[in-house]
Structures are given as structure tokens and as C-alpha cells.
Amino acid sequence: MPDDHEDTTQMKTQMTELIGLLTAVLDSHKDRDIAANLQALVAEFESIRTLIMRHATAMEALIPRATLMEQMVEEQEQLKAMVSQIRIDTAWVRHQLEGSIDG
């Protein structure tokens, strides 16, 4: 998971830098058609950045749930092992009593 977080952080940084560069070009450009196209491009990059941030936040929110599920699976396996041992112990006791619980 740390690699995904690093990738997301790096992507956010790159998107922020790209938007800054495009904004600087937009502010310094004299041609209105190109400026309008750059402005639309900046808006698209902003929306992409917003989506990436939402996705990263959603993925980070899943980490505790995944950890909890792993813990629950481990606990379930422990309970299964305990039940299995109880079955073995019960069978042994019944065998020792020769199948008669009342004695």
C-alpha cells in the first residue's frame, strides 16, 4: 500500500505543477484562441486532479476496513480451530465413557 500512496502523492504534486505552468502560460499569452484553449485545458486538469484526490481519499478510507477484515478472518480461523478441538475432546470423553454419558 505505501507504493500506491507515494504514487498518488507524486501524481498530485505533478498535477499541481502542471496546472501552475499552464496558468502561467495562459496569463502570459496574447493570442485569445490559444488562451481560451489553455483555459479549457486547465479546467479539465483541475477536474482530473479533483477526481484523483477523491479516489485517493476513498482508497485510504478502505485501509482500516481491509485491516479489520483480516483480523476477523484470523479470529474466525481461531474459532474454527477451537471448535475442532472441542469436537476431538468431546469424542475422546465419549469414548472414555464408552458412549454412555450417564455412566
Side-chain angles (χ1 to χ4, degrees):
M1 280 297 204
D3 291 336
D4 291 341
H5 182 67
E6 283 180 24
D7 290 344
T8 303
T9 303
Q10 186 178 16
M11 192 180 308
K12 286 179 188 177
T13 303
Q14 290 173 347
M15 289 295 288
T16 301
E17 290 174 3
L18 180 60
I19 289 168
L21 288 172
L22 288 173
T23 302
V25 169
L26 177 63
D27 289 342
S28 68
H29 212 283
K30 305 292 183 207
D31 186 345
R32 293 297 170 205
D33 289 334
I34 292 175
N37 288 338
L38 285 174
Q39 199 168 26
L41 187 59
V42 167
E44 286 182 39
F45 278 121
E46 283 286 350
S47 65
I48 290 169
R49 183 176 68 140
T50 301
L51 290 173
I52 289 171
M53 291 171 66
R54 284 184 190 161
H55 177 73
T57 301
M59 294 305 289
E60 288 172 0
L62 292 176
I63 293 171
R65 292 180 186 172
T67 303
L68 180 61
M69 287 301 295
E70 288 175 7
Q71 290 172 350
M72 289 175 69
V73 167
E74 288 175 12
E75 289 175 10
Q76 186 178 24
E77 291 301 319
Q78 290 173 354
L79 287 173
K80 285 179 182 178
M82 287 173 54
V83 168
S84 178
Q85 188 59 46
I86 290 171
R87 282 187 193 139
I88 292 168
D89 293 344
T90 303
W92 182 84
V93 169
R94 285 184 186 208
H95 181 2
Q96 294 301 314
L97 295 173
E98 297 177 347
S100 172
I101 295 180
D102 295 333

